[in-house]
Amino acid sequence: PSPPSLSSYDYVFGFGSIMNTSTHAVWKTTSSPSTESSSSSALPGVIATISKEFGYRRQWSFRSSTGFTALGVGRSNSSSSNNSSEGSDINGVIFQVPTNDMPDFDRREVGYTKIRVPLEYITIMDNHHHSEHASSSSSYHKQANFAFTPNDNIWLYVPLPNYIHYADETHPLLQSYVDTVLQGCLEWGGPTMAEQFILTTGGWSEYFLNDTPSSRRPWLFRKEYNTIDELLKKYE
């Protein structure tokens, strides 16, 4: 059981598509007063890492009902024929969510259950460290200044057991989904964060479908396509 939080906010560790703030408006029903402007639908956030000592690793292992394989996290010490069981830190963004909005967030994450991450397993990337490791950091998404306490609820959404399956011919990884995630990394931390995502994510698969419109002319539909394709090719 989680200890009571005195805050009117919860925190969600985003490790996949939610890092891309353009996805927030789809489910968000009320604006947090701490967003940069009242017209913004993006949740305030800060770059963070969950230590591998917490016992989980990000991997392509969530079987979507719409016929593709999305991101999840799995126990890093579990026995698996897939190499994604090896432990690794998880980089991402911690978002502040009004506690009253958490039921909406739970509905967004159907097929997942949330577990609480103790603060001792969290490392926050402060703005000074961020600027040292990212060129032109001023062009990236502005980070919030959260003052976390041990009583704060920081949630990680974990796939329910019956949803955990690796990619196959009928449930491939999708270029459009990979783009959304890596665009989120680039939005917050540039190529360095995107590269770290690729290196610390298990379950990459030969079952990969380029489902983007006009795939032969990516500049028409795929934001940051050149950077994304170069990174994926580097580690294919």
Side-chain angles (χ1 to χ4, degrees):
S2 60
S5 174
L6 301 178
S7 172
S8 58
Y9 296 98
D10 280 24
Y11 297 89
V12 172
F13 186 91
F15 60 86
S17 61
I18 193 177
M19 291 188 289
N20 188 325
T21 59
S22 70
T23 68
H24 295 185
V26 175
W27 64 271
K28 195 168 179 287
T29 57
T30 57
S31 290
S32 165
S34 57
T35 51
E36 292 179 28
S37 69
S38 59
S39 61
S40 173
S41 62
L43 295 165
V46 63
I47 300 173
T49 300
I50 294 179
S51 167
K52 65 182 179 181
E53 280 71 35
F54 187 57
Y56 285 84
R57 186 186 183 187
R58 175 173 47 210
Q59 55 196 19
W60 295 101
S61 62
F62 181 86
R63 176 66 54 86
S64 171
S65 61
T66 55
F68 72 99
T69 300
L71 283 165
V73 293
R75 293 305 298 252
S76 57
N77 59 355
S78 60
S79 58
S80 171
S81 58
N82 191 289
N83 62 6
S84 60
S85 63
E86 184 181 348
S88 181
D89 294 345
I90 306 172
N91 69 326
V93 180
I94 294 179
F95 292 103
Q96 186 186 63
V97 182
T99 300
N100 290 339
D101 283 358
M102 285 305 296
D104 290 331
F105 209 98
D106 289 341
R107 282 188 286 273
R108 177 193 188 274
E109 301 295 338
V110 62
Y112 297 79
T113 186
K114 61 181 184 289
I115 60 173
R116 188 173 180 273
V117 184
L119 194 57
E120 64 193 88
Y121 294 106
I122 301 277
T123 299
I124 302 300
M125 175 86 78
D126 60 37
N127 285 317
H128 175 68
H129 186 267
H130 182 220
S131 63
E132 286 183 339
H133 288 77
S135 60
S136 304
S137 61
S138 60
S139 66
Y140 301 143
H141 200 291
K142 182 178 179 181
Q143 296 198 72
N145 292 310
F146 299 144
F148 293 107
T149 73
N151 284 334
D152 283 327
N153 292 322
I154 302 175
W155 301 109
L156 176 68
Y157 280 84
V158 178
L160 295 167
N162 55 319
Y163 285 84
I164 300 174
H165 301 278
Y166 293 102
D168 60 22
E169 187 173 0
T170 56
H171 299 83
L173 309 187
L174 299 182
Q175 181 72 64
S176 59
Y177 187 94
V178 174
D179 282 352
T180 298
V181 176
L182 290 178
Q183 286 161 8
C185 291
L186 293 170
E187 175 186 353
W188 287 92
T192 300
M193 185 170 176
E195 189 166 12
Q196 185 182 14
F197 169 90
I198 294 170
L199 289 172
T200 60
T201 300
W204 292 97
S205 174
E206 62 181 318
Y207 300 109
F208 193 105
L209 176 66
N210 190 344
D211 63 326
T212 57
S214 192
S215 59
R216 293 182 185 273
R217 295 187 294 165
W219 56 90
L220 293 179
F221 297 99
R222 294 179 56 213
K223 181 182 177 183
E224 306 274 12
Y225 80 95
N226 197 39
T227 302
I228 290 171
D229 288 351
E230 285 181 1
L231 285 170
L232 291 175
K233 186 175 181 179
K234 182 177 179 180
Y235 295 104
E236 66 182 1

